[in-house]
Amino acid sequence: MIPHHPKPGTSTTHSTQAVTSPPRPSRVVLKPIPPQQTLDTRTYQINQLKRRYPSHKETSLPGGTGTSLSFNLVPSDPDFPFDLPQLECDLHIPSKYPKSPAKLHVKNSDIPRGFAINIEKGWDKLVEERKGGGGTLLSLVNGLDKRLEGFLSEEKAETVKLTIFKDTRHLDRQRVEEKEEEEESKTEPVVVPPVGRAYIPLETFTQAQIAEAKARRAQEVRQLEARMGRLQHYHRSSDGIIYTLPLDPKKRAELPGELKGIMSVQLVVPLLYPLQNLRVLLNDVEGGKEGEELAEGVKEVEVREAEHAASVERVGQVDRGHLHVIPRPPEWGFGDDGTESSNYDSEDEDDEGGAELGKDGGEMGGSSLPTRTIEKGTAMLFPSIELHGIELLQVSVLSLNVKCDRCKTLNEVTGLKNNLDKASSCKKCATAFIVRYRQELVHMNSTRAGFIDATGCTVADLLPSTFVPACDKCSHPSLGLVSVRGETTTNICRECHARFAFKIPEVKFLDYAPGMHTRLPPTSGPRRKTEKLGLHAGEPLPEKGSCQHYKKSYRWFRFSCCSKVYPCDKCHDAAEEHINEWANRMICGWCSREQNYSVESCAFCGRSVIGKRGSGYWEGGKGTRDKRLMRRGDKRKYRRVGGGETRKD
């Protein structure tokens, strides 16, 4: 039987399937309620929680006012962003429940009290929201699980910490008196003058000194948290003064007996540091001779650093016309075996530090300096690099975007290894160029990754490259990990199974010797200003790169005619007076990274830069082919099949 279809241009009446009026109350089926819940609501809901959390602990509140149910809530969100294995909950259910609401108490010791208060207030909000709807305790706990991330993301609640200072001076005085009485019973009485405490006036500082000290303290505290924040036993007090740092000496067996069991230290950073001195407290160690020796060693290091700074300052003030004095770098004071070099205190060396050079630039003593990377070419810097659990970071295989000196076209150079030349040519003008990479190690005190010697081209940008991190626990190098600017890379050490991560938010290229590159003479006319777009790698473009002409185009194009960026050719023609040329570069609308033109997806984040529109029935071969089941708006419903079949009325 052939279905009847109306002719085009004619109108037919169809039955309306939408519900215009609500159903009758007699046809609404209510959710069944268990009889036990109706008889004893409190016991029924408590049993629900017990079945949901078998490892619970149930106790009675003092005075028989209710029941305390302790259980561990594991976040069910697989993308939960906080390092919280489980939430230790203590739920107090009063005897008059559900007339009196249940109260939640957070027992996690690793959660600051301010955030725990946010969670407890969030529980009270859930109870208030579901007060009229008759929500059960289990549904409230499930709601807490879903909104736990939001509660922890709120601003930390203000708390007050009460610190008890126990005054034991009367006990010390009592011991002294008892000792004096014993001596008096044996010998003649001796009059001991009272021991008074010397008055020490408080040191005052100016407002400028306090502001400078606070700025330096904030900077160094950020460095400390970035370096130690992800370690297992790291802890920061709520007032931000005491930091507990894990300590794992590599030569623990050589330490004194009292110090072998040390596992952590407490670093006390005053609010006016560095105007006020730091204090280091050793945990699990009794005060004794070893502690005194450690304190004396710290003072000796401080004195040595002060003397070295004073000597460097004197060197800068000495006027010697026939000598050039170079201050000694700190790393030259250590030999190859990691011990302090004996040449530092040598009598043959200048008393004021540094090596003396003659006017011809040669070293007077004739001793050879440590081998270092020659500082020439283009230096690659990672100014804001974040290293967590990483001792050293090395770029083993480097990939770059270079710009041809002749036609200014961007070319990709991949597979650069240490001290090996890579020859290539421009894809547009075929000009030959050579690139060489000289490695350097990146660590917490050095952000320079090496030098790049480019002939016939200049370095433009960093492409996805291979990095080799070394674990700070066991110093074992990891396998090569591919990363790029703006991306966080996380992995686990194969030797000690410690977790580490690194991120390169920014990459800078600094030209140490502009004359090193072989470049063509500049063309006549004014230089074109560099376009500043204000983009950040890893963040999406405004409107994800779309414009009013193309709503589903998620990218910007860099047109070769003017080297400017526009979302589309129509936007270019509206802003410029010349005819547009084909764009060979684009900026991804999802990650804001510039790259060579790609038809569909980004080479960095892999996301599609074009919006695909499908029929919902036919695309991908997963839809229906039965014309009787197709919707009337599908154009394939009336298309001819086999060339001879046509639509029949």
Side-chain angles (χ1 to χ4, degrees):
M1 180 178 178
I2 301 177
H4 174 73
H5 302 282
K7 293 182 179 180
T10 61
S11 60
T12 57
T13 304
H14 301 279
S15 60
T16 303
Q17 297 182 2
V19 179
T20 58
S21 59
R24 294 192 299 272
S26 60
R27 302 191 61 182
V28 177
V29 179
L30 299 177
K31 182 180 179 181
I33 300 176
Q36 186 178 0
Q37 182 177 0
T38 306
L39 297 176
D40 192 352
T41 304
R42 182 177 182 275
T43 306
Y44 178 80
Q45 295 187 14
I46 291 177
N47 291 335
Q48 278 186 323
L49 281 179
K50 291 180 180 180
R51 291 192 297 269
R52 175 63 179 84
Y53 300 99
S55 58
H56 64 275
K57 182 180 179 181
E58 183 180 5
T59 56
S60 298
L61 296 177
T65 57
T67 304
S68 172
L69 193 65
S70 302
F71 57 91
N72 297 328
L73 174 62
V74 179
S76 60
D77 187 2
D79 299 326
F80 193 68
F82 299 98
D83 188 11
L84 182 64
Q86 59 187 10
L87 183 67
E88 300 175 6
C89 303
D90 186 10
L91 189 61
H92 291 183
I93 308 170
S95 302
K96 298 181 180 180
Y97 180 84
K99 294 182 179 180
S100 299
K103 293 291 183 180
L104 178 68
H105 300 274
V106 179
K107 297 299 183 181
N108 292 65
S109 59
D110 54 346
I111 298 180
R113 184 55 190 163
F115 293 107
I117 292 176
N118 290 342
I119 298 175
E120 295 173 358
K121 290 183 178 179
W123 170 269
D124 296 338
K125 292 179 182 178
L126 290 174
V127 173
E128 189 66 24
E129 291 173 359
R130 307 190 183 188
K131 188 174 182 180
T136 62
L137 294 176
L138 183 58
S139 64
L140 290 173
V141 173
N142 293 335
L144 176 66
D145 181 20
K146 293 180 181 179
R147 298 174 60 177
L148 184 59
E149 179 181 350
F151 296 152
L152 290 174
S153 302
E154 295 177 357
E155 185 178 358
K156 182 180 177 182
E158 295 294 337
T159 57
V160 178
K161 182 178 180 181
L162 300 178
T163 305
I164 300 176
F165 293 94
K166 188 175 182 181
D167 190 3
T168 59
R169 289 177 294 180
H170 62 287
L171 299 178
D172 298 337
R173 188 172 297 277
Q174 183 178 0
R175 296 192 192 97
V176 172
E177 293 176 356
E178 292 178 355
K179 187 175 182 180
E180 290 176 355
E181 292 177 358
E182 293 179 359
E183 293 179 355
E184 288 177 358
S185 60
K186 297 179 181 179
T187 60
E188 297 180 358
V190 179
V191 179
V192 180
V195 179
R197 180 177 298 179
Y199 172 72
I200 301 176
L202 295 177
E203 189 175 1
T204 58
F205 307 100
T206 62
Q207 294 294 335
Q209 290 177 332
I210 294 175
E212 183 180 358
K214 288 184 177 180
R216 179 177 172 184
R217 183 185 186 277
Q219 178 183 1
E220 296 190 7
V221 164
R222 284 195 300 268
Q223 294 176 354
L224 177 66
E225 292 179 348
R227 178 68 177 84
M228 311 290 291
R230 296 199 177 189
L231 298 182
Q232 183 177 4
H233 299 290
Y234 170 82
H235 182 263
R236 174 180 177 271
S237 63
S238 58
D239 54 3
I241 296 179
I242 302 177
Y243 294 83
T244 303
L245 309 178
L247 189 63
D248 187 14
K250 294 184 178 180
K251 298 181 179 180
R252 188 181 293 272
E254 300 180 5
L255 295 176
E258 290 77 3
L259 297 179
K260 287 184 179 180
I262 184 172
M263 299 300 295
S264 62
V265 297
Q266 286 185 342
L267 182 64
V268 181
V269 185
L271 295 177
L272 293 181
Y273 169 83
L275 299 178
Q276 296 177 350
N277 296 329
L278 294 171
R279 287 189 299 162
V280 179
L281 306 178
L282 302 181
N283 296 335
D284 304 327
V285 176
E286 297 181 358
K289 183 179 180 181
E290 288 75 10
E292 296 176 0
E293 293 178 356
L294 180 62
E296 293 177 359
V298 172
K299 293 181 180 178
E300 184 179 354
V301 171
E302 293 178 352
V303 171
R304 184 180 301 174
E305 290 180 353
E307 293 177 353
H308 176 68
S311 65
V312 171
E313 185 177 358
R314 290 197 305 271
V315 168
Q317 297 176 356
V318 174
D319 185 13
R320 298 183 182 182
H322 64 287
L323 296 178
H324 299 282
V325 180
I326 302 176
R328 175 182 295 275
E331 60 267 21
W332 289 9
F334 295 88
D336 297 336
D337 55 351
T339 59
E340 189 172 357
S341 174
S342 60
N343 295 333
Y344 191 79
D345 299 329
S346 176
E347 297 179 356
D348 298 336
E349 193 181 1
D350 187 12
D351 295 338
E352 296 179 352
E356 295 186 355
L357 302 178
K359 287 188 177 182
D360 56 350
E363 189 173 354
M364 298 179 64
S367 60
S368 61
L369 298 177
T371 304
R372 299 185 63 185
T373 304
I374 301 176
E375 295 184 349
K376 68 176 183 178
T378 303
M380 183 170 61
L381 306 175
F382 304 148
S384 305
I385 188 171
E386 300 177 9
L387 300 176
H388 305 285
I390 295 177
E391 185 178 36
L392 295 173
L393 184 66
Q394 178 184 8
V395 184
S396 60
V397 182
L398 180 65
S399 298
L400 297 170
N401 258 340
V402 297
K403 183 184 294 185
C404 177
D405 283 346
R406 181 178 180 184
C407 64
K408 307 303 180 184
T409 302
L410 290 174
N411 300 269
E412 294 184 359
V413 179
T414 59
L416 289 173
K417 296 185 178 180
N418 187 28
N419 288 326
L420 293 179
D421 293 339
K422 186 69 176 290
S424 184
S425 60
C426 178
K427 61 184 179 181
K428 184 175 182 180
C429 65
T431 300
F433 54 81
I434 300 175
V435 183
R436 183 184 185 129
Y437 172 55
R438 293 179 282 118
Q439 293 179 352
E440 282 192 354
L441 297 177
V442 179
H443 48 86
M444 63 180 300
N445 295 322
S446 175
T447 60
R448 190 170 65 190
F451 288 88
I452 302 167
D453 301 329
T455 305
C457 62
T458 55
V459 182
D461 197 5
L462 176 69
L463 295 177
S465 305
T466 303
F467 296 82
V468 178
C471 177
D472 66 346
K473 296 284 187 182
C474 60
S475 301
H476 188 271
S478 177
L479 299 178
L481 303 175
V482 178
S483 184
V484 72
R485 173 168 50 97
E487 186 176 283
T488 302
T489 304
T490 307
N491 210 319
I492 296 177
C493 177
R494 293 177 174 264
E495 185 71 16
C496 65
H497 305 290
R499 184 179 295 274
F500 60 82
F502 67 92
K503 181 180 181 181
I504 305 175
E506 185 181 3
V507 180
K508 287 187 178 180
F509 297 98
L510 181 61
D511 198 354
Y512 269 52
M516 289 296 299
H517 304 306
T518 304
R519 298 175 181 171
L520 296 178
T523 58
S524 59
R527 295 185 61 184
R528 180 179 299 160
K529 292 184 178 180
T530 304
E531 188 176 11
K532 296 182 179 180
L533 301 177
L535 304 179
H536 301 280
E539 299 180 0
L541 295 176
E543 302 296 334
K544 297 180 182 177
S546 61
C547 64
Q548 58 181 350
H549 307 106
Y550 299 96
K551 295 294 185 180
K552 294 192 176 182
S553 175
Y554 307 122
R555 55 184 167 183
W556 289 352
F557 297 94
R558 186 176 294 280
F559 290 85
S560 57
C561 52
C562 56
S563 296
K564 292 185 178 180
V565 175
Y566 292 99
C568 68
D569 55 344
K570 297 180 181 179
C571 296
H572 172 276
D573 295 341
E576 303 292 340
E577 297 180 355
H578 57 270
I579 301 175
N580 67 78
E581 295 181 6
W582 188 263
N584 54 7
R585 302 280 295 174
M586 72 176 189
I587 301 177
C588 176
W590 303 100
C591 63
S592 300
R593 293 188 177 96
E594 187 170 349
Q595 58 198 278
N596 288 337
Y597 172 78
S598 177
V599 179
E600 292 186 356
S601 60
C602 173
F604 291 90
C605 64
R607 303 190 67 170
S608 176
V609 294
I610 57 175
K612 296 182 179 180
R613 183 177 181 181
S615 64
Y617 285 86
W618 201 269
E619 184 174 354
K622 298 180 181 179
T624 178
R625 265 62 169 177
D626 192 348
K627 293 186 176 182
R628 296 175 300 175
L629 302 178
M630 291 182 183
R631 57 184 175 90
R632 291 191 300 271
D634 195 335
K635 60 182 179 180
R636 296 176 181 83
K637 185 178 182 70
Y638 309 113
R639 181 172 293 178
R640 295 187 302 170
V641 178
E645 182 181 348
T646 58
R647 183 175 62 183
K648 297 180 181 181
D649 298 334

